Amino acid sequence: MAGSAWRSMLNQVVVGAARRPAVSAASFTRGMQTQTVTLIPGDGIGPEISSAVMKIFEAAKAPIRWEERNVTAIKGPGGRWMIPPDAKESMDRSKIGLKGPLKTPIAAGHPSMNLLLRKTFDLYANVRPCVSIEGYKTPYTDVNLVTIRENTEGEYSGIEHVIVDGVVQSIKLITEDASRRIAEYAFEYARNNQRTSVTAVHKANIMRMSDGLFLRKCREVAENYKDIKFTEMYLDTVCLNMVQDPTQFDVLVMPNLYGDILSDLCAGLIGGLGVTPSGNIGANGVAIFESVHGTAPDIAGLDMANPTALLLSAVMMLRHMGLHDYGNKIQTACFDTIRDKKVLTKDLGGNSKCSEFTAEICHRIQDMA
């Protein structure tokens, strides 16, 4: 049930279409090199939960060196928005990033920081595992699915213009290459993680050309994965069926906007964005893992934040890097803490501070040694 679902995740390659060799804790005691990760703490509660993750990694003796960078959009040559050069250079070197929540200033022309990062590093696949957590009560007890969202185009291409006063047009861009790439990633992910089915989510009955192209590429790719069951379903039907019985779904792949909506819906099934990890996979080996909740400025600095989402995203990162033993140890300590219900932050149903929740996870990790 919920327990078996999340325990099975311990043996999965949570992110990455291709498997990486597993590296054990014992390997590093024999002198293997520490790996650098670019840390983007973010805004609001971001620095607090980032600090919590670093403390937990230290308790686990994870072989990670953090290279901290702040990300705010700046205007480069020709007035084009870009991330600061030192942040880009760090990501270009490390290839791996961990990111807290970022705010986007409400100002004319200012880009979404998350969108800017995706475009800068061609982070084409957003991957969110949604798995019920034992001991954390929700209306659903056996959720175990993964949403895979095309991250670079669709309605989020940022192509908008005024036709005449009072009429605005927004362009939905769908390309053959991007659709094929995300479909291939979804099927590879399913195969490498012992998942049995992939569902393509679309509205090709209405948007016959754009979603039609996406669906055709999914069908073509499915032909090369006969070991994976392929189904296709309208977005509205998926939403209906998801709230009725989420256990019928396994891996779902979809265009950008649908993924944004459906991945949050799925997060709600397991308790919300505060317990949902997320990873963004890019071209040329780049990947950024992130908490997808907001910056929560109302509780920033009050030691009330819940670091679970960022911590589980960091666990995804460790597995992506081949550091499975460390990821398993940290995830087990986190889930055991939630299950025991003794030291929980307010949003998880307790009254503990972020620092106390973090310390409890650290103690559990140390007790495993």
Side-chain angles (χ1 to χ4, degrees):
M1 319 318 288
S4 63
W6 66 256
R7 290 182 190 280
S8 72
M9 286 181 65
L10 295 176
N11 298 315
Q12 290 190 6
V13 182
V14 172
V15 170
R19 288 183 180 274
R20 293 185 176 212
V23 182
S24 68
S27 300
F28 280 92
T29 63
R30 295 194 294 269
M32 290 190 72
Q33 194 171 15
T34 297
Q35 300 184 55
T36 299
V37 170
T38 300
L39 176 66
I40 303 170
D43 304 306
I45 62 171
E48 295 170 64
I49 60 177
S50 296
S51 176
V53 169
M54 288 191 286
K55 289 176 182 177
I56 292 167
F57 269 51
E58 184 178 356
K61 296 182 170 58
I64 299 297
R65 183 178 76 85
W66 303 103
E67 193 168 273
E68 188 171 328
R69 293 291 183 270
N70 291 317
V71 173
T72 52
I74 60 175
K75 281 194 175 182
R80 194 172 177 186
W81 290 102
M82 57 186 287
I83 67 171
D86 67 329
K88 185 176 187 308
E89 289 164 6
S90 177
M91 275 300 306
D92 287 341
R93 284 193 306 270
S94 69
K95 302 293 187 183
I96 303 292
L98 181 68
K99 182 183 77 63
L102 291 172
K103 66 179 179 182
T104 296
I106 303 174
H110 202 290
S112 159
M113 294 308 306
N114 292 315
L115 188 58
L116 189 58
L117 282 169
R118 290 172 201 154
K119 289 187 174 181
T120 300
F121 299 108
D122 193 16
L123 301 171
Y124 67 90
N126 174 258
V127 183
R128 283 204 218 171
C130 288
V131 180
S132 297
I133 299 175
E134 185 177 15
Y136 186 40
K137 188 176 180 180
T138 73
Y140 302 88
T141 59
D142 204 14
V143 180
N144 186 3
L145 58 89
V146 181
T147 60
I148 296 180
R149 162 189 173 188
E150 204 294 315
N151 227 6
T152 64
E153 54 180 32
E155 291 87 349
Y156 291 0
S157 300
I159 307 171
E160 295 185 312
H161 56 268
V162 176
I163 299 177
V164 296
D165 287 345
V167 181
V168 176
Q169 185 176 55
S170 180
I171 305 297
K172 174 174 179 171
L173 181 68
I174 297 288
T175 66
E176 181 176 317
D177 288 346
S179 298
R180 182 189 300 111
R181 181 168 66 169
I182 196 65
E184 289 174 347
Y185 183 89
F187 278 95
E188 280 295 313
Y189 180 95
R191 177 177 283 174
N192 289 336
N193 289 281
Q194 293 77 53
R195 297 275 179 172
T196 59
S197 72
V198 171
T199 300
V201 183
H202 67 95
K203 284 295 291 182
N205 57 325
I206 304 298
M207 288 165 277
R208 298 181 183 277
M209 295 183 70
S210 55
D211 280 24
L213 175 59
F214 172 82
L215 184 56
R216 284 199 304 276
K217 295 301 114 181
C218 289
R219 289 170 176 170
E220 290 174 9
V221 170
E223 289 298 313
N224 299 320
Y225 294 85
K226 295 296 188 182
D227 53 319
I228 306 295
K229 179 183 177 183
F230 174 65
T231 57
E232 49 195 65
M233 195 175 293
Y234 297 142
L235 172 65
D236 44 335
T237 305
V238 170
C239 292
L240 172 64
N241 291 347
M242 186 70 72
V243 297
Q244 289 180 324
D245 178 18
T247 64
Q248 65 188 282
F249 295 105
D250 195 354
V251 175
L252 302 100
V253 61
M254 63 213 79
N256 205 337
L257 175 63
Y258 307 160
D260 191 8
I261 297 168
L262 192 56
S263 60
D264 276 13
L265 185 155
C266 293
L269 303 178
I270 64 168
L273 295 176
V275 294
T276 304
S278 179
N280 299 283
I281 309 304
N284 304 314
V286 175
I288 296 179
F289 301 84
E290 62 180 348
S291 55
V292 291
H293 54 69
T295 58
D298 56 320
I299 62 169
L302 300 180
D303 198 17
M304 295 173 61
N306 172 14
T308 301
L310 188 63
L311 181 62
L312 295 181
S313 298
V315 168
M316 291 175 67
M317 178 191 77
L318 288 172
R319 291 180 177 141
H320 181 76
M321 299 169 75
L323 303 173
H324 298 278
D325 284 356
Y326 295 97
N328 293 348
K329 182 185 293 187
I330 291 169
Q331 179 174 277
T332 297
C334 178
F335 284 159
D336 284 351
T337 299
I338 293 173
R339 185 190 63 212
D340 284 357
K341 302 180 182 179
K342 295 176 182 177
V343 184
L344 297 177
T345 54
K346 189 172 183 179
D347 63 311
L348 291 174
N351 292 298
S352 299
K353 297 178 180 179
C354 175
S355 56
E356 294 169 336
F357 180 70
T358 301
E360 177 66 17
I361 294 174
C362 289
H363 292 153
R364 289 177 181 272
I365 290 171
Q366 291 159 353
D367 288 345
M368 294 179 194

